[in-house]
Amino acid sequence: MKRWWNEKDLLDIIPEVCLYKELSLNEIVDMIYHYVIKQLINPN
């Protein structure tokens, strides 16, 4: 599956992140929020 995904990944500007089932919804939202803020501060 990983090989297929990389070959078909059309969104190379958005890095893939593994979300584990042990993470709560709040933890996932927090991860996304921090990623977005980091990209706004330092887009490169």
Side-chain angles (χ1 to χ4, degrees):
M1 177 92 175
K2 184 174 180 164
R3 186 181 312 144
W4 177 87
W5 177 259
N6 288 334
E7 291 174 6
K8 308 293 185 211
D9 191 358
L10 302 176
L11 298 174
D12 58 349
I13 60 169
I14 301 171
E16 185 175 337
V17 175
C18 291
L19 298 176
Y20 300 98
K21 64 182 179 181
E22 294 82 13
L23 292 172
S24 70
L25 179 59
N26 286 339
E27 290 172 316
I28 294 169
V29 170
D30 193 49
M31 287 172 59
I32 295 168
Y33 172 80
H34 281 83
Y35 176 79
V36 170
I37 295 299
K38 182 179 176 183
Q39 293 303 308
L40 290 173
I41 293 170
N42 186 14
N44 295 331

